[in-house]
Amino acid sequence: MELSKMKQDEVRSFINDKTIALLPIGATEVHGNHLPLCTDVFLAEGVSRLVEGQYGKDEVLVLPSVNYGQVWSLGKTVGTVDIPDDVLVPYLVSIVMSMWRSGIKRFAFINAHVGNAAAIKTAMRKSQELCGIKTYSFTYPGAEEMIAKVCTTRRPHKAYFHACEIETSYMLYLAPEYVDMQKAIKQYPDFPADFDYTPTRWTEFMTTAVMGDATAASYEKGKAIIDFAVSNIVRILRAGE
């Protein structure tokens, strides 16, 4: 059930000790010219819908999305909204605590933006200390296993990718109406020699925010990876009942 569409009496009668709340969280940041700025939001929402469908609509409460996140690496690009961790953390804690006061015992962040990871982890720890609520954080769990099987292009960096074969495939599966494959590009930027050892904004070594080969993306690849990640999320949540 979507919290945003429920009436006061409906949400009161829906929540019980077994209800799990899902919070889709993404970011508003540039993703090249073929994907929209809210790509991560659309992906988090899409994954949340799939989790709800597999887990059971009578047991899952999907919250309105968090559309903004920590985007330091691309924070100086036009249109991007960067929320620093010291602002994002208490905001997320407040959402968790509001759900706890409503009777929610388990809460899961469905995250589609890697830059949010540190803030989410801190928010989870603070929430647990405040009320003992069980929290989870999922950013495509197990995706790397399936990526290795279905993707055909090399990664630009061992730890990073962006608006590439992987993420564009996710969008072609979950929100294809927002993808313009005619503008997809292949780009392998030259990383500074000390990139792995010192904070470096991505805008220092690329102008278009694509890191990898977006032209190789497909619906089929996105479906294989996302469905595998969703099955992992459902399995983990079921194990924690």
Side-chain angles (χ1 to χ4, degrees):
M1 294 290 288
E2 295 181 44
L3 180 63
S4 62
K5 298 177 181 178
M6 299 174 78
K7 311 297 191 301
Q8 183 174 351
D9 57 345
E10 291 174 334
V11 70
R12 184 184 294 112
S13 61
F14 182 82
I15 294 176
N16 57 59
D17 288 345
K18 294 185 178 180
T19 306
I20 183 162
L22 305 183
L23 178 66
I25 176 170
T28 299
E29 65 168 341
V30 291
H31 281 77
N33 297 316
H34 68 296
L35 296 179
L37 270 74
C38 277
T39 285
D40 295 338
V41 178
F42 297 137
L43 295 179
E45 291 174 342
V47 170
S48 295
R49 287 192 297 269
L50 291 175
V51 172
E52 178 192 19
Q54 285 194 28
Y55 199 92
K57 292 187 177 181
D58 293 337
E59 301 176 81
V60 173
L61 184 66
V62 180
L63 276 60
S65 306
V66 174
N67 291 0
Y68 306 106
Q70 186 275 109
V71 196
W72 182 85
S73 296
L74 290 166
K76 292 188 175 182
T77 55
V78 175
T80 294
V81 178
D82 175 29
I83 306 298
D85 284 354
D86 59 350
V87 174
L88 187 57
V89 169
Y91 179 72
L92 297 179
V93 170
S94 294
I95 295 173
V96 177
M97 294 302 296
S98 294
M99 288 297 99
W100 176 74
R101 287 190 294 270
S102 296
I104 294 292
K105 300 294 192 298
R106 293 196 300 155
F107 187 104
F109 292 92
I110 306 298
N111 179 43
H113 177 64
V114 175
N116 292 331
I120 291 174
K121 177 180 275 190
T122 301
M124 291 167 69
R125 290 173 172 173
K126 288 182 178 293
S127 299
Q128 182 174 318
E129 290 174 357
L130 287 169
C131 67
I133 189 172
K134 178 75 171 180
T135 56
Y136 302 83
S137 177
F138 299 109
T139 308
Y140 310 116
E144 289 294 339
E145 179 181 345
M146 192 57 63
I147 288 170
K149 293 180 180 180
V150 303
C151 289
T152 57
T153 61
R154 68 179 177 89
R155 297 273 282 272
H157 187 276
K158 60 184 178 181
Y160 297 102
F161 60 87
H162 188 76
C164 57
E165 176 186 14
I166 299 168
E167 198 165 30
T168 304
S169 294
Y170 292 173
M171 282 291 286
L172 286 172
Y173 175 42
L174 294 175
E177 64 272 25
Y178 299 117
V179 182
D180 185 353
M181 287 301 291
Q182 292 184 342
K183 294 182 178 180
I185 65 171
K186 173 182 178 180
Q187 179 171 258
Y188 287 86
D190 293 323
F191 295 92
D194 59 356
F195 178 77
D196 291 336
Y197 312 104
T198 187
T200 306
R201 293 187 187 274
W202 292 5
T203 44
E204 293 182 20
F205 55 86
M206 63 180 183
T207 55
T208 303
V210 174
M211 195 181 289
D213 188 356
T215 67
S218 73
Y219 168 95
E220 292 76 16
K221 293 173 183 176
K223 185 178 190 307
I225 302 167
I226 292 295
D227 285 355
F228 187 68
V230 168
S231 68
N232 284 328
I233 294 172
V234 173
R235 174 179 54 80
I236 294 166
L237 292 177
R238 284 295 183 196
E241 290 181 337

